[in-house]
Amino acid sequence: MELRHLRYFVAVAEEGSLLNAAERRLNTSQPSLSRQIRDLEAEVGVQLLERQARGVTLTAAGRVFLDHARLALLQVEAATEGARQTAQPQRPVLSMGFLVGLEVMWLPQLLRILREEAPDVDVTLSTQSSPELALALVRGKLDIAFLRPEKDNDDVVFKILAKEPLIAVLPAEHRLASRKKIRPQDLTREIYVSSARTSPVLQEVIQNYTSRIGITLKARYEGENISSAMSLVASTGGISLVPLYAQNMLAPNVVARALEGGTPTVDLALGYNRTNPSPLLRRLLSRTDELVAKVQNQSIIRYVEADS
């Protein structure tokens, strides 16, 4: 498996078409691209794409592979940037952590700002659960992290970036998928998949929400993270409640729907250790509003229908 296989696969997945990916993004022929994708599937050992008359769609395995492929390419970019600076003494270093899936939204814009502030910055990346990220900040293993505002972390400052509404994700063929919005009471009759196994903040938001509206959701399945929860949704036919950003991780056979009524929100924060002396960190924090504005304007972000 080579990096070009990952780049080709991501391009095909994002374009939804071998022809479009070949012509618009990769400057290659469709037959050549098809061979590369078949080679990749042979290497992985499972089918990643389903070929259809009007394009291609991801299999459940392909959706999981896409998340990791994107992260691998981002890590290679960061590693390359760091390696190019190895000959320069006292180069600035910034270690960043992300909840799974958030790096796709936030990292490209963050890297642009970092290059303006410190063109020779050496960046390291990690993806973990929110409690693990908070602990890494406390221990000084990370400079910043995109996470939930975890409790009992006195040394960590949480700067709120967004209040994300919860949405429901469900299979595209589910009987409720034809609705623009889903009544929360309808969730009690469905297979419920928890996406909050390793996120106590998200779990608390969901529990407070269900308690307020008078329903009980007992998880039949629990995902390690949001990505695995959505894979379980696709495979079990269940429904899960996830933050809005999870729309960027939807498989073709899974859809997102808004919730009727007062929709709860979960905070997304930029966390850092208040004792961290890094001047680069301070400069970055001063441009947080700019970072938020840039991410909100990204075309990759897709929104469910807002409450009218």
Side-chain angles (χ1 to χ4, degrees):
M1 188 184 304
E2 300 179 15
L3 284 177
R4 60 185 171 87
H5 290 118
L6 299 184
R7 294 191 179 98
Y8 288 175
F9 173 72
V10 170
V12 172
E14 291 179 348
E15 292 291 337
S17 165
L18 286 162
L19 179 60
N20 290 345
E23 294 181 347
R24 297 177 183 176
R25 304 211 6 208
L26 300 174
N27 193 29
T28 187
S29 67
Q30 181 177 346
S32 175
L33 179 58
S34 296
R35 287 194 298 272
Q36 299 292 340
I37 296 299
R38 286 196 298 270
D39 290 344
L40 175 62
E41 289 178 319
E43 179 70 22
V44 176
V46 296
Q47 183 179 357
L48 302 175
L49 297 171
E50 293 181 354
R51 282 73 171 172
Q52 300 176 347
R54 296 184 178 180
V56 297
T57 59
L58 290 168
T59 63
R63 182 67 243 181
V64 174
F65 188 80
L66 177 61
D67 292 338
H68 291 285
R70 282 171 169 162
L71 179 57
L73 290 174
L74 288 171
Q75 289 176 323
V76 168
E77 180 182 354
T80 301
E81 189 71 19
R84 288 170 178 168
Q85 306 301 326
T86 55
Q88 298 184 16
Q90 298 181 345
R91 65 189 185 277
V93 178
L94 193 77
S95 56
M96 300 185 289
F98 295 87
L99 291 172
V100 174
L102 279 176
E103 70 282 350
V104 176
M105 293 173 56
W106 293 89
L107 183 57
Q109 298 298 338
L110 182 58
L111 287 177
R112 290 185 179 94
I113 292 177
L114 283 173
R115 285 165 183 156
E116 293 174 7
E117 293 291 339
D120 58 344
V121 64
D122 185 0
V123 176
T124 63
L125 304 174
S126 66
T127 56
Q128 297 172 289
S129 69
S130 187
E132 289 172 331
L133 291 171
L135 182 59
L137 289 172
V138 171
R139 293 177 174 177
K141 294 184 178 181
L142 291 175
D143 291 305
I144 62 171
F146 291 76
L147 72 172
R148 307 300 176 194
E150 301 292 337
K151 298 178 180 178
D152 302 323
N153 289 275
D154 294 338
D155 290 332
V156 179
V157 178
F158 296 99
K159 186 169 184 177
I160 304 301
L161 301 176
K163 291 183 176 293
E164 294 186 290
L166 290 187
I167 57 175
V169 292
L170 61 160
E173 301 301 323
H174 195 282
R175 65 181 183 85
L176 296 177
S178 60
R179 302 181 183 180
K180 292 184 177 179
K181 298 180 183 179
I182 293 180
R183 295 174 62 250
Q185 290 76 12
D186 290 335
L187 300 177
T188 60
R189 297 190 291 271
E190 305 299 327
I191 297 172
Y192 179 62
V193 178
S194 172
S195 64
R197 180 175 178 179
T198 58
S199 178
V201 173
L202 177 58
Q203 187 174 48
E204 183 178 7
V205 168
I206 294 175
Q207 288 177 342
N208 290 341
Y209 171 59
T210 57
S211 177
R212 174 170 59 83
I213 62 178
I215 65 172
T216 300
L217 296 178
K218 185 176 181 180
R220 191 178 301 184
Y221 302 96
E222 291 186 310
E224 283 293 333
N225 49 48
I226 288 177
S227 179
S228 64
M230 290 199 292
S231 294
L232 285 170
V233 165
S235 60
T236 66
I239 294 180
S240 186
L241 296 180
V242 299
L244 179 63
Y245 87 88
Q247 283 195 113
N248 293 319
M249 304 160 64
L250 288 179
N253 56 346
V254 176
V255 297
R257 295 292 181 262
L259 298 169
E260 285 188 356
T263 306
T265 61
V266 58
D267 290 341
L268 172 64
L270 176 65
Y272 62 95
N273 193 310
R274 68 176 75 251
T275 64
N276 190 326
S278 168
L280 177 57
L281 172 61
R282 301 301 160 180
R283 297 202 302 273
L284 178 62
L285 292 174
S286 71
R287 300 182 65 176
T288 303
D289 291 344
E290 177 186 349
L291 172 64
V292 172
K294 287 180 179 293
V295 171
Q296 288 177 341
N297 290 330
Q298 286 186 113
S299 61
I300 190 175
I301 302 178
R302 297 168 291 159
Y303 294 93
V304 294
E305 180 179 335
D307 289 334
S308 57

